[in-house]
Amino acid sequence: MTTTDTHCPYCSLQCGMRLQAPHDGGEAQVLARPDFPVNRGALCGKGQSATAVLGAGVRPTAPLVRDKRGGELREASWTEALDRVAAGLAATAQRHGRESVAVFGGGGLTNEKAYLLGKFARVALRTPNIDYNGRFCMSSAAAAHRFAFGLDRGLPFPLEDIAKADCVILVGGNPAETMPPALRYFRELRSNGGTLIVVDPRRTRTAEQADLHLQPVPGTDLALALGLLHLAVADGRVDQAFVAERTTGFEAARTAAMAHWPERVEGLTGVPVHQLREALRLFADAAGGIVLTARGPEQQSKGTDTVGAWINLCLALGKAGRPGSGYGCLTGQGNGQGGREHGQKADQLPGYRSIEDPAARAHIAHVWEVEADDLPGAGRSAYELLDTLGTEGGARALLLMGSNPVVSAPNAGHITERLRALDFLAVSDLVLSETAHLADVVLPATQWAEETGTLTNLEGRVILRRRALTPPQGVRTDLHVLRELAARLGVDKGFPEEAEEVFEELRRASAGGPADYAGISYRRIRAEEGVFWPCPGEEHPGTPRLFLERFATPDGRARFAPVTHRPAAEEPDHEYPLYLTTGRVLSQYQSGAQTRRVPELNRAAPGPFVELHPQLAARLGVADGEALAVTSRRGRAVAPARVTDTIRPDTVFMPFHWAGAGRANTLTNPALDPVSRMPEFKVCAVRVERVR
Ligand code: SF4
């Protein structure tokens, strides 16, 4: 038996696990690691069953190519497949210009892959058009974080601080289903005498454990936060000394909040005034107070402002930049944090640098040994990139790595058509996802237990996944693919295949940037169970807690955001009278590309459903389990009814993990946040009917 300490392939908690592989090639097993400080011996069902996706039966183990559009995929050699991808990309660029070629990455890719993918787009393809599915996941929180504090790290403190706070407000997150081992921190908070307030249109498994559950109308979290700030001002609860010493811009935020008096906010949100007052009292009275947001407030067309409003509340009450207090975002994807730091975002270069900053361009150009003037500028954001595929001025050839937009993109029916309209599509993935099924070439990639690489978890802790198993013959690492493609495109250096070699270059590229990894090495990560960035030197201990002395803005002060309430891009009306909100369930992960291939997870969560309140069910004459059609301006999805009083009567909920007739993202609205360019997954207008 070979035993290797590594990390889970799924969510941003990156639980520590021990992988045991029999020498006779028998099935590997995972055990939770009690000594890893994040999960302390716990794994959820997804992590426990993670080895199931390693089996050769559930994944391609040879490249696949299609000889003509509409033809079948057939097995091919790696040489043929890579030749075809390089030729497809090069021919399109030659015919239509460099911007007609695009790259789409994923928040599950390791730091090394994200880094090399960004470099591949900008150096080998010389296209500005690279973005990734993390744009759909947390970019509004990142934008608000950067505006307020000058730096975005999902949690600017370790998870253990949640347990040490006196009051935590969790807005639009459901860790009981998305990352169950994290729930222990909330339980410890309460057993230490602290209070948990959950804001969610559904009484989720997490909300069931709260001391106070606020159940607002979808898309009104911004008004709710403004109402709480109004009460803080009106009740004289503002921490004037903190505001004066450590912040700027309070007056504009105060003025906006004063237009959101409690009765108005009750009218907008449906949250009773007495609950607003109780929430404010609990949070203001707490010595240590934390606000956490997740996808609920972030995946809105006003997500950046919504998160900004919650940060405003923290700042007004002096609950930031102090031990036991602060604002944080519960990032979702495994490398949702690192994925946005190393250059696979359309507007960023490695080290979390702006692509428009001349000094950043010069630094990265030096590391990459190219001319700064040759680096492209900012490209299209994820939805805009996908929305324009195959159109005049849009990309006509796409290399997609570790993402499944046929299921996970908003307005997914339209995006599927755009993918079909491409001249050339190549997909590198672990499994034959719905998007891979559309590809001209599929490149089968190695997985978590078969390769080494770093990820940065939701706390900013850089961890190391270790290769524990020999991959099946016929699959290759994404780093190998990038090296081979770069060489075929005429760039035969600067694309190493060894992850540690890529990481060494990443360290140099990030040095001096906001996300500084210069002092982090594989050796240190192994020895220290992860290192928190920023870590500018070998002797630096890393930074578990940010902002204790100053914020990362030029003047060291946090900035209030001047935000005000506005409705969702699409509100219910006569034709579409209900809100739809979407989310996740315990036994599936993201687009389900991996977890739908695990029998025990499929048994636990076999398909989509439509959650609706008994009052709405009675009005529609619908029984539990009966087929329902949900229709929005973008399409129609059909799934069985799940009648429950845990949801608001004006709202239906669908999980988004499935393709086919029950695909929730057929319905969702791609209205974009003007700052983060994040789509409004969390609220749109629908009508619901029985399917006879
Ligand atoms: Fe994996 Fe997340 Fe479950 Fe931990 S909580 S085992 S990281 S899916």
Side-chain angles (χ1 to χ4, degrees), residues 115 119 123 350 353 360-370 375 493-494 502 504-511:
Y115 172 82
K119 183 176 178 180
V123 173
R353 294 175 158 97
R361 294 173 65 84
H363 172 78
I364 297 301
H366 177 71
V367 174
W368 287 353
E369 299 180 17
V370 297
L375 290 177
K493 64 173 192 158
V502 178
E504 288 301 307
E505 185 180 306
L506 179 159
R507 289 174 65 184
R508 287 190 285 117
S510 75

Side-chain angles (χ1 to χ4, degrees), residues 121-267:
R122 292 170 179 126
V123 173
L125 296 175
R126 295 182 62 188
T127 177
N129 287 319
I130 171 166
D131 212 52
Y132 81 126
N133 64 17
R135 179 78 66 174
F136 298 159
C137 183
M138 43 22 70
S139 50
S140 291
H145 222 142
R146 264 201 313 280
F147 176 81
F149 304 125
L151 182 66
D152 158 47
R153 198 180 80 190
L155 290 181
F157 43 76
L159 279 161
E160 65 190 55
D161 284 16
I162 291 171
K164 295 176 191 159
D166 300 292
C167 181
V168 173
I169 305 179
L170 172 59
V171 190
N174 183 15
E177 300 211 45
T178 55
M179 47 178 73
L183 216 57
R184 68 182 307 151
Y185 297 102
F186 296 93
R187 291 204 188 100
E188 284 172 21
L189 159 80
R190 297 189 69 226
S191 61
N192 292 340
T195 308
L196 175 62
I197 302 171
V198 170
V199 179
D200 201 304
R202 302 166 63 222
R203 194 171 72 241
T204 61
R205 293 187 197 190
T206 309
E208 298 273 9
Q209 304 190 30
D211 299 280
L212 178 62
H213 173 210
L214 311 181
Q215 199 164 6
V217 172
T220 63
D221 320 67
L222 172 51
L224 189 64
L226 285 162
L228 293 174
L229 182 56
H230 178 106
L231 283 172
V233 173
D235 295 353
R237 303 303 302 262
V238 172
D239 185 335
Q240 301 289 356
F242 180 88
V243 168
E245 286 165 23
R246 298 202 57 189
T247 72
T248 57
F250 176 60
E251 264 318 297
R254 189 189 71 82
T255 303
M258 293 324 283
H260 295 80
W261 56 93
E263 292 73 16
R264 181 181 176 215
V265 170
E266 178 175 330

